[in-house]
Amino acid sequence: MTDQTVTSDSGSAKSAEQSSEFAASRLAGGDGRDAILEVENLRMYFPVKSSGVIRRTVGHVQAVDGVSFQVPAGGALGLVGESGCGKSTTGRLITRLYQPTGGKIMFEGKDIAGLSPKKLMPLRRDIQMIFQDPYTSLNPRHTVGAIVGAPLLIHNVVPKKKVLPRVQELLEVVGLNPEHYNRYPNEFSGGQRQRIGIARALTLQPKLLVADEPVSALDVSIQAQVVNLLQDLQREFDISFLFIAHDLAVVRHFCPEVAVMYLGKIVEIADRETLYNHPQHPYTQALLSAVPDVKQAAIGGRRERIRLEGDVPSPINPPSGCRFRTRCPLAQEICAKQEPPLLQIGERHKVACHFAGEIGQHPTKPVTARLLGIDDQGNPDPGATPDPNAVEQPGFADTWYDVQGGHLGAKA
Amino acid sequence: MTAYIIRRMFTGIIMLIVMSMVTFLLFFSSPVNPEDFACGKNCSPALKAQTKKALGYDEPVTTQWVKFAKGVFVGRDFPDDPALKESAPETIAECPAPCLGYSRTTNSTVTEQIKEAWPISLSLAITAFFMWMIGGIVFGVIAALRRGSIIDRGIVGASLVFYAFPTFFIGLFLYKFLAIKWEIVKIPEYVPISEGGVSVWFQGLLLPAFTLSLVYMAGYVRMTRAFVLESMGEDYLRTAKSKGLAPRKVLYKHSMRAALTPLVTMAGLDLAGLMGGAIITEQVFNYPGLGKLAVTATRNFDLPLVVGIVLVLAAVVIVANLVVDLLYAVIDPRVRVG
Amino acid sequence: MTSQAPLLSVKDLKVHFPTQDGIVKATDGLSFDLESGKTLGIVGESGSGKSVSSSAILGLHRGTSAKVSGEIVLNDTDLLTISDEQMRRRRGKNVAMIFQDPLSAMHPYYTVGNQIMEAYLVHNKVSKREAKTRAIEMLDRVGIPQPDRRVNDYPHQFSGGMRQRAMIAMGLINNPGLLIADEPTTALDVTVQAQILDLLQDLQREFNAAIIIITHDLGVIAEMADDVLVMYAGRAVEYGPCKEILTHPEMPYTWGLLSSVPDVTGDTDARLIPIPGLPPSLLNPPSGCAFHPRCTHKDKVKGNLCKTEMPELLPGNRGPEHTKRCHLADPEQIYFTEILPEIAPDLVEEFAEVNPDGSVGDAEPVRSSDAAAEAEEKKI
Ligand SMILES: Nc1ncnc2c1ncn2[C@@H]1O[C@H](COP(=O)(O)OP(=O)(O)OP(=O)(O)O)[C@@H](O)[C@H]1O
Ligand SMILES: Nc1ncnc2c1ncn2[C@@H]1O[C@H](COP(=O)(O)OP(=O)(O)OP(=O)(O)O)[C@@H](O)[C@H]1O
Ligand code: SF4
Ligand code: SF4
Ligand SMILES: [Mg+2]
Ligand SMILES: [Mg+2]
């Protein structure tokens, strides 16, 4: 941490100076690790049609609304959140099963958000998806060999004669009997089917795998097999993962870095130690406290649950300001007026909350006010200059805003 | 809801327009010349040309269609010749507003012909409808409840037989034996309610309606059985049972409600289809309904009559479709339009 | 356990389904007791017979081809001997059940209120209006906002959590002594799951009902249950007080369940230990111990016992309340030296200190093997 303390008199020349310093370091870019995928301000709005005589578009499901993150090469980013928060949509946008409404998807430095299907073709080899339901995602009328080999034929990567040996090799990799290439999906159990799905995704040796709830539909005793398989594959083939799941424990186990989504936005993103041990967003805290923990409960050390009231609001009409405010126990006036930016508050930790802080240590004054050029109630403060860097960036900068200290922090 | 109905009616009208166009085109692309039929046996080329002109077949198809469409809304005269109307009004046939054309083979307006035939078809269709719905549902439910038993197998087997046999065979068979040989029922004959009262009307309908209903009943028995069985496996039925409801209540309130809903859709459309679809039955029992009229009209290449019947039947189907969808929204709260 | 007779006592329950391929022994000799105000958790993987067993308590197999035998004594009546009509009158009144998927468990064509009222009307001679008032009261009790308005909504207009609340309202409207919850939170998000579990606990305290909660999530068991019953292939393989089972599991299948799922506080470098192989067929269950084809500890049993002889459900070294179906002589030692250090090294000490009665500390001999040794010494 540096000693560049930000004085509280907002708008002073000094703090503006520091802001630009802050910006410079940000542009210098992250910590040197290459990102294979960089998503910036990604948005997906699904139109909602009226039921009138002429079917007009009356609104939009803001399924994903301004999401930014990075997936490091060879790493794994976890995406967690409640049902309907936009996790699958994000995954489908990255594999370009959907055309994004806006934003950038930089894959190996190239923006694929606006590419035509034809131009996407070669990229489809590099980005593959594993689906949640092993029962419906495999065509029941095709043999396993046909399912796993199809991408090879479509992309013309190996001569026809070599398809079968390659398929058998893949089946072996995922722990299935290679002699079973002639069988149909219904002859396999759920866990085995999920392996077939994984083999299919691996066929083209992708660089990035989007795994959308790969184990949720599986029985507990089978889940571990699949998780271990994915971990082995990642190590062996150096595949990067975007791992989507609602099971916080599985995500924590698999992903060194985790992003928490709520109603189409990322509310907190951090390395797993920080996120699970020192969450600063009230939603992350509530989510974590809701997870039953066998081992802790067994010795009577159950953590106090933070009860969330009510239901997730509709993504068609999300609340103004902070989207979590309708259920947030800390919500204040400013939360309705100003959307909190996803602010970097640690070396690899970003949070989007005006009152970010650990449980029981949330500040009483909004930490974001000065950066946004507003007062503590969320009204514009004519004396303050908003920090132009308080916008969301996919990666992490070398300097950050220290919430507790109220000053810039930096890598030691 | 109103907006929804208006939208549906709008698309319905468009469909009718398109259908009338298609019928016109099909008719004129056929190798047969309709004027041959209208002209009669000993017909000279000159007479033929004259007939063609009188029928309006000499004009381009588009003009004919426009005239036809206009006639539907404001009515028209046949032949449409103001000079002739002045000089010899008796040779002109007037066709008032919902004018679907003028049939030369029968020398009356299409509207009149249809007006005469539709109550017969409707009587037949509705009577058959009640027979097959009641029979189909009762036997279907019994079969489902006694699943796997002899009763079930008997019902399913019988329905297969009736489903497979051609209607004309069953019709003739019933006619010959029940009506003529054993005289169990009256010889079928259409008597309007206004003339003979409900009882006579019904007795005359009994046999043709029963014949017509048999094939449908067979299908509905099997569908009802399948839907009831399906609903019995639903989770909410288990819930109903675990509340302690009596088995009858579970069946009538929970199972049947879910099972019969999809039948509504099919029943409505089948009823509409039956209006003109009873061709064979009407032939067998010599019932002068829309089906028989359609057959005669096609045989005689009576374009106006064919087009008229096609459009009326299409309109019935479209309206039935709308009614069924609205009904469905009433029955199934999940599809209610906001 | 107190001397007074338990509310529910299941003895040697068997549910067999005759099928074309043979008899499916979905439940094969299940026994347990449950007292008022207590919660029994049943865990096990898919197809182990959890739902089939609990449906048997409600008599839902009546009228099907299933063969049910044994004893299910509820309030001193054996439910397997009474008539269909007597059973029907107990359903929803003395025993109620809530199901996994609250959307499909409710009739889509009737309002939520109608369906809750129905449950009240069958067992009480009251007017519809009174029933509706009662339904609204219950909806309010389970935390549905504006219950007087929402009572007229259809199930699809409710969110998943609200539907499950409504199901709970329906289940508890007649104040039953026993509530069976078959995977009540599996289809729900964690935050909603937490709400529902809290609600169940609150209501249990209020109504003093006994609860059977079926789940495959040991976390849910850990938070809810007083007793745990682990099922495998239609049989109980381990049964005892919750804390005891979670800290001193003695059956390799239970170890498997505990070590195959990651924990939110566990060590992230630790590898998950999957249970190898596939769930057994119930048509041809494996000989001997049904778990032996998947068990990695069977070599520790002398001879070929695991393959030839089915172990009985018997108490081990930890006292009479903790029973297990396994031939291993000293499972505790294996667990504390081989399993726990792998999955949660930080908890070895803490777990070791938990006594069979749930207390912590060394008032009683901690290690059963030590205890056995001591006992041995005293004898000499
Ligand atoms: N094709 C679509 N058209 C309209 N709305 C959609 C579409 N796909 C998703 N949505 C909506 O977008 C929102 C986000 O959906 P998404 O499937 O991404 O959620 P999720 O986080 O994956 O949830 P889950 O955990 O249930 O899978 C939801 O409100 C959903 O109803
Ligand atoms: N009516 C039936 N006929 C034949 N077999 C049946 C029948 N009902 C259930 N079974 C079988 O009994 C076994 C136990 O089923 P049960 O539903 O109790 O499992 P479960 O433990 O509840 O599993 P899950 O976690 O998937 O709900 C399964 O193998 C199932 O296939
Ligand atoms: S910004 Fe406000 S409403 Fe949003 S999470 Fe933070 S405190 Fe709660
Ligand atoms: S009896 Fe044998 S096979 Fe069965 S669980 Fe115990 S050790 Fe394993
Ligand atoms: Mg999803
Ligand atoms: Mg079950």
Side-chain angles (χ1 to χ4, degrees), chain A residues 218-237:
Chain A
L218 303 176
D219 206 69
V220 267
S221 73
I222 311 295
Q223 281 188 8
Q225 297 176 7
V226 174
V227 170
N228 285 353
L229 170 68
L230 289 177
Q231 270 185 331
D232 293 344
L233 292 173
Q234 176 174 33
R235 245 167 254 145
E236 193 171 334
F237 300 111

Side-chain angles (χ1 to χ4, degrees), chain A residues 66-298:
Chain A
V67 160
S68 306
F69 58 80
Q70 274 184 349
V71 179
L77 175 73
L79 208 52
V80 293
E82 283 177 280
S83 185
C85 68
K87 305 183 295 292
S88 298
T89 306
T90 307
R92 286 162 171 269
L93 284 170
I94 287 161
T95 43
R96 279 300 313 275
L97 293 172
Y98 292 148
Q99 166 77 44
T101 310
K104 283 191 197 152
I105 306 171
M106 307 292 286
F107 180 72
E108 296 192 308
K110 188 173 169 201
D111 188 2
I112 62 167
L115 288 190
S116 65
K118 208 168 155 196
K119 290 211 175 118
L120 271 173
M121 202 57 180
L123 282 164
R124 294 223 186 268
R125 292 178 56 173
D126 293 336
I127 310 176
Q128 289 285 324
M129 191 154 181
I130 305 171
F131 295 93
Q132 167 170 5
D133 192 343
Y135 295 90
T136 55
S137 59
L138 302 177
N139 188 332
R141 277 183 281 280
H142 290 175
T143 62
V144 170
I147 292 170
V148 177
L152 290 174
L153 292 173
I154 295 169
H155 289 267
N156 243 331
V157 273
V158 291
K160 269 210 169 116
K161 271 190 293 178
K162 293 249 175 77
V163 170
L164 183 59
R166 174 92 181 107
V167 165
Q168 293 189 314
E169 194 185 312
L170 283 162
L171 289 179
E172 196 150 11
V173 165
V174 297
L176 292 170
N177 186 340
E179 298 306 312
H180 288 175
Y181 69 91
N182 240 342
R183 298 197 175 178
Y184 289 89
N186 65 350
E187 298 172 53
F188 293 90
S189 72
Q192 288 174 324
R193 283 185 217 194
Q194 197 57 297
R195 285 166 192 264
I196 298 169
I198 294 170
R200 172 178 60 184
L202 288 176
T203 315
L204 296 168
Q205 297 173 315
K207 295 176 182 155
L208 176 69
L209 260 182
V210 176
D212 189 0
E213 314 246 7
V215 295
S216 312
L218 303 176
D219 206 69
V220 267
S221 73
I222 311 295
Q223 281 188 8
Q225 297 176 7
V226 174
V227 170
N228 285 353
L229 170 68
L230 289 177
Q231 270 185 331
D232 293 344
L233 292 173
Q234 176 174 33
R235 245 167 254 145
E236 193 171 334
F237 300 111
D238 197 35
I239 301 171
S240 318
F241 270 88
L242 180 65
F243 191 97
I244 300 169
H246 63 258
D247 185 331
L248 284 114
V250 171
V251 167
R252 176 171 177 274
H253 182 81
F254 196 88
C255 308
E257 220 155 77
V258 180
V260 181
M261 279 186 83
Y262 184 81
L263 214 56
K265 287 193 181 289
I266 291 182
V267 296
E268 188 159 12
I269 181 167
D271 60 279
R272 72 177 146 214
E273 282 72 29
T274 313
L275 192 93
Y276 284 77
N277 298 330
H278 309 284
Q280 301 230 351
H281 196 282
Y283 177 64
T284 317
Q285 289 159 356
L287 202 60
L288 283 170
S289 80
V291 181
D293 179 352
V294 186
K295 283 147 202 160
Q296 291 304 313

Side-chain angles (χ1 to χ4, degrees), chain A residues 50-55, chain B residues 3-4 6-7 337-338:
Chain A
S50 73
S51 57
V53 179
I54 301 155
R55 313 205 72 194
Chain B
Y4 174 73
I6 294 173
R7 196 170 65 230
V337 247

